[in-house]
Amino acid sequence: MKIHIITIFPESFNSYFSSSIIWKAKEKWLFELELYKLNNFSDDKFKRVDSKAYWMHWQVLSPEPLSKSIEYIFNIVWKKIPVIYMSPSWDLLTQKKVEMYYEKLVDDFIIICGHYEWIDERIIDIYVDYKISIWEYVLSSWELSASVFLDSFIRHIPWVLWNIKSLEEDSFSHKLNRQKEYPIYTRPEIFMWKKVPNILLSGNHKKIKEWKINNLS
Ligand SMILES: C[S@@+](CC[C@H](N)C(=O)[O-])C[C@H]1O[C@@H](n2cnc3c(N)ncnc32)[C@H](O)[C@@H]1O
């Protein structure tokens, strides 16, 4: 699976993709990442990619460089692949939706990261298959919302997490009935004035399982 990201700021993904679980997964080639600098697709002599929106005070991304970059990727992969656009105002991301996207996006896909206020709507009409919101608040960075989506997505790829059970039994998983996980404890048995619940020290598997179910929220 190759993830193609079109952005004005490819460098903003560096720190995120160069640490922890996601970095390891990339090093093991569990997925590939290709970043495309949008300005390289501009015909403007100063490599500008934006223009003033009609009847607004804001700059938006012009359609031509975006279209050129998307078509360029379609050409190098020899086919049309799904295109994602992140936006506060569309389909709210939940764990169930992440699972759905993981089932649908089995092959390469593109994420468009815009800049300024928005992108020309015709790009959305013509190319975009999935419009994803990471929840009801507004960020100033497309790259951050794309990284949030990708983090929740990439952990579903087999072998990304060393313990597949943690994925199956995470908060909001199907197995936990889409509820929040139960409280978790480790040694020491007593920390300050708080003790690990007796049931977890009992060794009684049946009762511990019941306790876990009863402590979902
Ligand atoms: C300043 S926001 C643009 C807000 C836009 N004018 C609106 O009212 O919906 C810049 C970009 O960051 C991304 N973004 C911000 N908040 C987001 C969210 N909650 N979910 C997904 N993407 C978000 C989107 O790509 C958005 O277009």
Side-chain angles (χ1 to χ4, degrees):
M1 169 191 293
K2 195 169 197 168
I3 301 165
H4 305 260
I5 303 181
I6 301 167
T7 170
I8 296 182
F9 302 114
E11 65 283 358
S12 65
F13 286 97
N14 287 349
S15 65
Y16 171 67
F17 281 100
S18 58
S19 61
S20 194
I21 291 172
I22 303 296
W23 170 73
K24 278 193 196 140
K26 198 163 142 283
E27 287 293 291
K28 288 193 221 154
W29 292 84
L30 298 178
F31 72 94
E32 288 177 77
L33 180 75
E34 197 72 57
L35 297 162
Y36 304 84
K37 190 162 172 77
L38 184 62
N39 309 67
N40 294 341
F41 297 88
S42 169
D43 292 329
D44 178 78
K45 71 173 171 182
F46 301 110
K47 295 290 169 203
R48 281 191 71 152
V49 288
D50 60 300
S51 184
K52 192 167 170 296
Y54 283 111
W55 296 101
M56 279 183 87
H57 298 295
W58 316 119
Q59 296 296 113
V60 289
L61 286 183
S62 313
E64 297 94 333
L66 278 169
S67 172
K68 270 179 83 176
S69 60
I70 295 168
E71 295 289 346
Y72 173 82
I73 299 170
F74 286 171
N75 265 328
I76 57 174
V77 299
W78 291 63
K79 60 182 173 187
K80 282 193 162 202
I81 52 176
V83 178
I84 295 175
Y85 180 62
M86 307 298 299
S87 155
S89 52
W90 279 307
D91 204 13
L92 292 183
L93 196 62
T94 60
Q95 184 61 29
K96 200 172 169 183
K97 295 255 177 70
V98 176
E99 290 163 17
M100 184 272 286
Y101 286 122
Y102 183 69
E103 301 225 319
K104 289 194 173 189
L105 302 170
V106 286
D107 208 349
D108 291 20
F109 62 90
I110 299 173
I111 299 188
I112 304 172
C113 293
H115 191 52
Y116 307 107
E117 189 57 21
W118 201 246
I119 64 174
D120 187 284
E121 195 69 23
R122 288 164 291 183
I123 289 294
I124 298 170
D125 296 342
I126 297 168
Y127 292 107
V128 171
D129 301 288
Y130 302 108
K131 300 176 263 190
I132 303 174
S133 164
I134 61 164
W135 212 254
E136 292 177 337
Y137 47 80
V138 177
L139 300 172
S140 37
S141 157
W142 271 261
E143 286 74 14
L144 188 55
S145 55
S147 299
V148 170
F149 167 67
L150 285 175
D151 192 302
S152 64
F153 179 89
I154 288 169
R155 63 203 303 278
H156 286 77
I157 300 172
W159 312 113
V160 167
L161 298 182
W162 65 273
N163 185 357
I164 192 72
K165 270 200 163 228
S166 73
L167 182 69
E168 286 168 5
E169 293 185 11
D170 269 337
S171 294
F172 316 116
S173 62
H174 179 66
K175 192 164 175 186
L176 296 195
N177 230 349
R178 306 283 176 207
Q179 291 176 288
K180 290 184 211 129
E181 200 175 46
Y182 37 81
I184 293 175
Y185 299 87
T186 183
R187 273 166 266 278
E189 273 179 41
I190 300 171
F191 172 69
M192 295 175 77
W193 61 94
K194 300 284 272 182
K195 189 172 179 298
V196 174
N198 286 335
I199 190 78
L200 296 182
L201 305 172
S202 72
N204 185 327
H205 289 237
K206 189 166 169 274
K207 287 230 156 101
I208 291 171
K209 203 171 164 190
E210 279 167 17
W211 178 89
K212 285 183 175 180
I213 292 167
N214 291 336
N215 281 278
L216 296 173
S217 57

